[in-house]
Structures are given as C-alpha cells and as structure tokens.
Amino acid sequence: MKSTRKATAIANANIALVKYWGKRDEKIVLPENSSISITLDALNTTTTIEFNEKQQKDTLKINGENISGEELKKIIKHLDIIRVIAGTKLKARIESTNNFPKAAGLASSASAFAALTLAATTALGLKLEKKQLSIIARQGSGSASRSIYGGFVEWQRGEKEDGSDSYAYQIVDEKYWPEIRVIVLQITEQEKKVKSREGMKITKETSPLYKAWLETIEKDIKDIKQSIKEKDIELLGKTAQVNAIKMHATAMTAWPTLIYWQPETIKILKEIIEMQEQGTKAYFTIDGGPQVKVICLEKDLQKILKKLSEIKEIQKTYVCKPGEEAKTITKHLF
Ligand code: PMV
C-alpha cells in the first residue's frame, strides 16, 4: 500500500506557437481561445510526492527551498482537486526541481503542474487517461494542459461550461519533425512582476484589441497545423512570430499598461528581424515575460547561435528539441 502513495514524475515545459491569452472561466481555467505548442526537451520539472497519514499538512519544496504563502496555496488547491477524485484527505509532502528559473517567462508553471498532476494521481493509484490528466493539469495552469504530451500539441478551447471538452491532445509526436529547434534565451532570472494569470485578465477586461486578437486565432491555428503537416518552417515561424506580437499588442494596450519586454528583449528581436532580412529562417516568440525564444531548423542552428553570441545581454542559452510527454520515473527526490 505504502509504495502506491509515493510517485515521481517529470514533465517538460512547452512554448506556444499560438498563445493562450484570456480565460472564459477563471475558476476552472477555460480559455477564450485554442492554442498550439511544442513541448521542449531541455526544460523540465521533476516532482516527487508522498501522501502520508503522518503528514499534518501539505508541504512543498522547490529547488531545495521551503515554499509558503500564495504559491503553496495554489498547489494545495490543485491537490484538493486530485484528492476529491481519489476520495482521500491525506496530506502530502512535495519536492520539486526545475532545471531552469521559475516564473521568469520560461513556462515553469506548465511543466510544474503537469509533473505534479501526474505524480499525485499516480501516487494515489489513479490510472487516468492523458485527456483526464490534461483536464486536471489545466486547472493548475492553462499551459500545463499541453505539457502532458510530447511533440506538437493543441489545447482545444472547448464549448462546455464544465470544461469536459477543454483538454489538449497530441497533433504529432516528438519524432515527427526532429529537425525543429527552439533556442531559449535567458536575459534575466528575475521573477516577472505581473504573472500571466493577472496579465491576461487585465488584458481581456481592458484592451480594445482583445476582441480583434480572438478573431485572428482560427486562421493561426489552421496555418500552424498546415505548417506542421507540410514541415514548412517559414509558415510556422511567421505565424508564431506574428501571433506572439499580437498577444503582446493586446497586453500593451491594456490598462494598466503591461509591457513584458525589457530593453534586452527588443535588442534580440531587432537582431532576429535583421537575420530574417538577410534570408535566415529564424523566428521569435515571447511569452508573458522578457525572454525570447527563437524557432529554427537544426541546419541553421550554428549560424544563428553564432550571431546571438554577439549579444552580451544574453545570460544563458538553452537549445531545445521537440520533447517527450510527461512520464513517471522510479528515481525519487526524497
Ligand atoms: O498557463 P499560464 O497561466 O502560465 O499562461 C500561459 C500564457 C502564455 O505563456 C503567455 C501563453 C501560452 O499559451 O503558454
């Protein structure tokens, strides 16, 4: 019995090519629009959880540091969803490690909630389908619904009010287009001031461009799917780049004004635009933070890395390939 209450899972982060930005239901996290992402093999979260009668309350450590306050509350809320499904009141000890800084716009919430969902449901002996895992992960962080899967993933908006049709599925796995690379450029380790949750809420409520943004999504989803089908890096890159700019345009036109970019962000964008003008197939995307991600093919990687190495503001570079689905592992963190 004891062994069934402890489990460890590892999940990769993902980067959205068509961004999720805005909720139609805040409580159970239902999006206003569908989104598509690539799961990234080099950025991941490993989480060990143990449910135990002796445990008086839920405890959480991330990268060795005890976590309390709002962050812990969010995790407890997520565990409560899983405890209801499993029919238990047992409290848990959780330890988690990221191999990249959290909350700096590197999608740590996606890998974190995907890993937590898989570890907790496994520890409690629930054998859930991926669709179910995606629905649960979604409620912790929308983008986590996609990190359950590897390769290219779509999170469908869904129509139902109970969220039962708002889950992600795999378009193609990580082996389908192995030449794709995503270069994640870290310019700061600082946690962002306005979290995506808050940012998308302000945007939806106040940006005059929000409605227009939503009207462009269907075409972007169609184009990204076509680009994947035809392995067309130009269509994929262009669509993802414009989609990201559109998302940030809605944030910039919100009130209070929301600018996620730092001066270094602009510097990198200018550099990539210049590369594009010279015919290099490098495209950028940015989430709710200052970090830039560059999408390209393996054959152009070295040339692009060389150019980027001239930008001294870049602190760290992670080169990612399409990553695998979230999975359980036997090596526990404690
Ligand atoms: O999953 P959240 O609540 O961290 O929101 C993610 C929002 C973006 O990263 C900006 C876009 C996306 O689809 O991942």
Side-chain angles (χ1 to χ4, degrees):
M1 188 64 201
K2 192 170 177 288
S3 63
T4 61
R5 294 199 194 153
K6 183 171 185 176
T8 299
I10 180 163
N12 287 315
N14 69 76
I15 179 74
L17 303 170
V18 178
K19 309 287 183 197
Y20 142 59
W21 196 241
K23 296 179 178 62
R24 64 190 163 88
D25 186 311
E26 297 268 335
K27 200 167 165 278
I28 58 168
V29 187
L30 298 179
E32 279 288 359
N33 64 284
S34 298
S35 53
I36 295 183
S37 58
I38 311 182
T39 301
L40 305 174
D41 76 336
L43 305 179
N44 54 55
T45 302
T46 304
T47 298
T48 297
I49 186 163
E50 182 170 28
F51 291 91
N52 195 324
E53 284 94 358
K54 289 194 212 108
Q55 192 82 17
Q56 302 283 317
K57 54 183 185 49
D58 296 314
T59 60
L60 170 67
K61 258 189 198 173
I62 301 180
N63 295 337
E65 191 192 321
N66 283 314
I67 304 291
S68 56
E70 280 309 306
E71 212 172 343
L72 178 63
K73 264 196 207 150
K74 245 188 108 180
I75 300 295
I76 294 175
K77 211 175 127 216
H78 198 66
L79 284 185
D80 285 342
I81 295 172
I82 296 167
R83 278 190 276 248
V84 167
I85 300 171
T88 181
K89 287 196 159 49
L90 286 176
K91 303 288 185 213
R93 171 183 171 192
I94 311 164
E95 283 194 30
S96 200
T97 56
N98 287 314
N99 69 344
F100 59 98
K102 64 189 175 75
L106 288 183
S108 63
S109 67
S111 52
F113 279 99
L116 178 65
T117 301
L118 182 57
T121 54
T122 305
L124 291 172
L126 296 168
K127 288 192 178 61
L128 302 180
E129 286 174 19
K130 285 213 165 54
K131 172 181 150 178
Q132 243 65 48
L133 291 171
S134 179
I135 286 176
I136 298 170
R138 185 198 78 213
Q139 296 171 68
S141 169
S143 54
S145 67
R146 300 185 307 241
S147 271
I148 295 293
Y149 304 84
F152 287 87
V153 180
E154 177 178 9
W155 171 21
Q156 311 169 105
R157 176 191 192 274
E159 297 299 327
K160 295 184 184 159
E161 274 175 31
D162 67 358
S164 58
D165 59 351
S166 186
Y167 52 86
Y169 75 97
Q170 183 178 68
I171 301 173
V172 287
D173 72 15
E174 63 281 4
K175 295 187 198 81
Y176 172 81
W177 194 359
E179 297 86 5
I180 283 264
R181 294 292 176 274
V182 177
I183 314 169
V184 178
L185 304 171
Q186 185 185 304
I187 55 171
T188 169
E189 279 206 30
Q190 256 173 26
E191 301 210 3
K192 54 191 173 191
K193 272 208 265 163
V194 182
K195 294 220 157 67
S196 300
R197 182 170 293 250
E198 193 51 31
M200 61 177 80
K201 185 167 188 282
I202 298 170
T203 303
K204 186 186 158 179
E205 285 166 1
T206 66
S207 168
L209 301 188
Y210 189 71
K211 193 165 164 276
W213 148 262
L214 288 181
E215 283 164 7
T216 70
I217 297 295
E218 205 179 317
K219 171 91 167 61
D220 286 357
I221 294 272
K222 186 173 150 276
D223 286 349
I224 289 289
K225 282 184 180 166
Q226 188 188 330
S227 74
I228 296 168
K229 194 164 169 229
E230 293 167 5
K231 299 189 183 173
D232 180 344
I233 189 70
E234 282 177 65
L235 181 62
L236 182 132
K238 181 184 145 217
T239 308
Q241 182 170 317
V242 175
N243 184 273
I245 296 285
K246 284 189 287 190
M247 184 201 104
H248 284 271
T250 67
M252 286 177 194
T253 46
W255 188 261
T257 305
L258 208 50
I259 302 180
Y260 284 107
W261 302 351
Q262 295 293 336
E264 297 87 345
T265 313
I266 307 276
K267 192 165 176 187
I268 299 167
L269 299 193
K270 293 269 188 200
E271 184 63 45
I272 296 161
I273 293 165
E274 204 169 288
M275 284 189 223
Q276 287 168 0
E277 283 163 1
Q278 288 160 5
T280 305
K281 290 177 185 141
Y283 309 89
F284 63 76
T285 182
I286 315 166
D287 279 343
Q291 331 283 8
V292 181
K293 287 96 179 176
V294 184
I295 304 159
C296 65
L297 291 180
E298 211 275 323
K299 65 180 165 64
D300 299 316
L301 181 66
Q302 290 314 320
K303 182 170 77 180
I304 294 165
L305 285 175
K306 190 160 177 285
K307 269 262 167 231
L308 292 171
S309 70
E310 290 162 18
I311 305 176
K312 61 175 189 330
E313 288 84 356
I314 297 172
Q315 293 177 349
K316 237 182 191 165
T317 302
Y318 303 84
V319 176
C320 306
K321 296 177 193 166
E324 289 178 21
E325 63 187 14
K327 53 180 191 248
T328 53
I329 54 174
T330 47
K331 194 165 174 274
H332 301 307
L333 293 176
F334 63 87

